[in-house]
């Protein structure tokens, strides 16, 4: 069933309801879907280990830089 056929069927049903029951049909616009959050990759164990190694190397580098600054100053 296509959208046009579905619309026509719903219109027929609404008209029938009005004719048979004398009721009023109130139609509402569909609510928009909530915005989807962007997809994020969950870090794997290797990703976590790599990040820890990078942090460790940066800390060692900073410690060496601080020691060199104290020795020079």
């Amino acid at each position: 069933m296509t959208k046009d056929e579905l619309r026509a069927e719903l219109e027929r049903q609404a008209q029938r309801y009005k004719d048979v029951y004398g009721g009023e049909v109130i139609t509402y616009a569909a609510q928009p879907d909530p915005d989807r959050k962007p997809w994020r990759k969950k870090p794997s164990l290797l990703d976590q280990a790599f990040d820890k190694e990078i942090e460790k190397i940066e800390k060692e580098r900073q410690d060496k830089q601080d020691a060199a600054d104290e020795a020079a100053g």
Side-chain angles (χ1 to χ4, degrees):
M1 179 177 269
T2 65
K3 286 184 180 181
D4 292 332
E5 292 171 343
L6 182 60
R7 285 189 186 106
E9 178 62 27
L10 291 173
E11 187 62 36
R12 279 193 296 276
Q13 289 178 7
Q15 190 60 43
R16 180 172 179 262
Y17 179 79
K18 288 179 192 175
D19 293 342
V20 172
Y21 299 106
E24 185 176 330
V25 177
I26 300 172
T27 56
Y28 296 94
Q31 294 295 319
D33 291 336
D35 292 337
R36 293 185 65 183
K37 294 187 179 188
W39 179 78
R40 282 192 231 151
K41 179 184 176 225
K42 183 178 177 182
S44 68
L45 288 175
L46 289 175
D47 293 335
Q48 292 172 359
F50 179 77
D51 289 339
K52 284 181 184 177
E53 279 298 313
I54 294 293
E55 287 175 14
K56 187 170 103 177
I57 291 170
E58 287 175 350
K59 186 174 185 303
E60 288 174 1
R61 194 175 193 188
Q62 186 64 38
D63 290 346
K64 286 181 184 177
Q65 184 67 33
D66 290 345
D69 289 344
E70 287 179 12

